[in-house]
Amino acid sequence: METDFNPYNLTYGFIGLGLIGGSMAKALRQAFPDCSIIAFNRSEKPRIMAFSDGTANIVTDTINDSFALCDFIFLCTPVEFNETYLDKLSSLIKPGCIITDVGSVKGNIHKAVSERHMDSFFIGGHPMAGSEKTGYEYSDASLCHDAIYPVTPTLQSNKADIDKYLAVIKAMGFKPVIMTPEAHDKTAAAISHLPHLIAAKLTLLVRDNETDEKYMRLLASTGFRDTTRIAASSPDVWRQICITNAENISAMLSQYISGLEDIKKAIDNRDKDAIEKLFKESKEYRDLF
């Protein structure tokens, strides 16, 4: 890492002040109290809150020349909007500025960056933190503490920039893991995207089998609530994730559906050994987490 790199006095830009953008900005403010934070958000309420609570030094509803001051810029909007903001930032960023994103899918943003010849400025990221809640009002720096943070550099990312980036996200409290965009998207499809779909469909299965006496809701306890908690997440966010990582999610769904068919066959046949094997093997692997 360059010896003159001092993250405490840099200028950080945030495009979007939702749950994740707000939490990361707050974590940055805690880590580097004297840094400058410039934040864009389309709606007014998060801007007012971020300025009033001291998280942001400058808030704006436009992508303007103030972002030319930034050493780091975090794209924290829904994935379908990030490409638009790349276009707006491309003519503003100064030499040496690092642009990153926090999206749950990496392949699409890397493709967009490459098409705009911005590979040398970009390092992808995905803070695996959050809540089923959305909005700046639920943001909290503690969401960043000890959360895994996949980092997906481009082929043109240099080691000095990667080291700077790692230093900043570690200071926020994250635990970075460097990987390719392809490996990230396949992994996320299995451990994040598919579980959200399962939770959503399970919730609707229960709804569709609800009785007039509302027994389903009455008897639903910890197991069901824990399993389906993520079904309360933002429909808009998850629509975008499913569309942008469709190939990987579809592949995982196919495997999962095949597995469910095997389970159904075992239950229909009262196959005690197969049923016990399912729970034994899943417990052994789950206990490793």
Side-chain angles (χ1 to χ4, degrees):
M1 188 184 303
E2 295 178 6
T3 56
D4 61 350
F5 175 65
N6 182 2
Y8 287 85
N9 297 320
L10 298 183
T11 298
Y12 299 88
F14 281 83
I15 310 296
L17 284 171
L19 176 72
I20 298 301
S23 296
M24 292 178 69
K26 289 178 178 180
L28 260 183
R29 176 59 67 207
Q30 287 187 6
F32 311 131
D34 296 327
C35 74
S36 295
I37 294 179
I38 301 169
F40 159 86
N41 202 79
R42 290 185 299 171
S43 56
E44 183 181 35
K45 182 179 177 182
R47 297 197 306 268
I48 294 174
M49 293 176 69
F51 185 76
S52 299
D53 66 19
T55 298
N57 302 90
I58 299 172
V59 294
T60 175
D61 62 353
T62 59
I63 306 297
N64 55 36
D65 290 345
S66 62
F67 286 93
L69 302 172
C70 292
D71 300 285
F72 284 82
I73 297 177
F74 293 85
L75 299 174
C76 305
T77 66
V79 291
E80 64 183 350
F81 298 129
N82 280 340
E83 293 184 24
T84 300
Y85 294 121
L86 280 175
D87 291 331
K88 294 181 178 180
L89 290 168
S90 62
S91 62
L92 294 175
I93 56 175
K94 67 181 183 180
C97 176
I98 296 173
I99 299 179
T100 186
D101 78 314
V102 300
S104 298
V105 182
K106 302 269 62 85
N108 64 312
I109 189 68
H110 275 270
K111 180 175 182 290
V113 165
S114 182
E115 290 172 348
R116 290 157 176 78
H117 307 290
M118 298 175 71
D119 305 73
S120 61
F121 294 96
F122 185 80
I123 299 174
H126 177 201
M128 301 196 73
S131 161
E132 68 276 13
K133 305 295 186 181
T134 59
Y136 186 85
E137 57 265 40
Y138 296 104
S139 63
D140 191 321
S142 66
L143 288 180
C144 307
H145 297 168
D146 292 327
I148 299 297
Y149 197 113
V151 175
T152 57
T154 72
L155 294 177
Q156 294 182 33
S157 299
N158 63 63
K159 185 179 185 303
D161 283 348
I162 295 172
D163 286 345
K164 292 176 185 178
Y165 182 81
L166 294 177
V168 169
I169 62 174
K170 285 179 180 178
M172 293 186 202
F174 290 112
K175 295 182 176 180
V177 178
I178 297 178
M179 59 201 309
T180 66
E182 296 78 15
H184 170 275
D185 288 354
K186 181 178 179 179
T187 303
I191 56 94
S192 177
H193 305 164
L194 180 61
H196 274 80
L197 289 168
I198 293 168
K201 194 59 181 176
L202 177 59
T203 300
L204 294 180
L205 174 71
V206 170
R207 181 203 67 183
D208 295 344
N209 286 276
E210 182 61 282
T211 65
D212 292 339
E213 298 84 1
K214 307 300 180 189
Y215 287 148
M216 294 286 186
R217 275 186 283 173
L218 180 65
L219 272 61
S221 190
T222 306
F224 178 79
R225 293 179 185 275
D226 287 349
T227 303
T228 60
R229 175 185 59 82
I230 52 179
S233 300
S234 166
D236 182 51
V237 168
W238 282 96
R239 169 183 57 81
Q240 296 167 40
I241 289 173
C242 288
I243 295 302
T244 52
N245 201 25
E247 185 175 339
N248 285 303
I249 294 173
S250 180
M252 291 297 170
L253 269 173
S254 293
Q255 292 184 51
Y256 188 70
I257 291 168
S258 177
L260 287 177
E261 290 173 345
D262 290 341
I263 293 170
K264 183 180 184 303
K265 185 183 299 183
I267 291 175
D268 289 342
N269 295 332
R270 302 339 187 239
D271 187 338
K272 294 183 291 185
D273 291 340
I275 295 170
E276 183 175 351
K277 182 182 178 184
L278 165 71
F279 288 109
K280 180 176 183 294
E281 291 185 354
S282 62
K283 181 183 186 310
E284 287 174 352
Y285 185 64
R286 181 61 177 82
D287 286 346
L288 298 176
F289 283 61

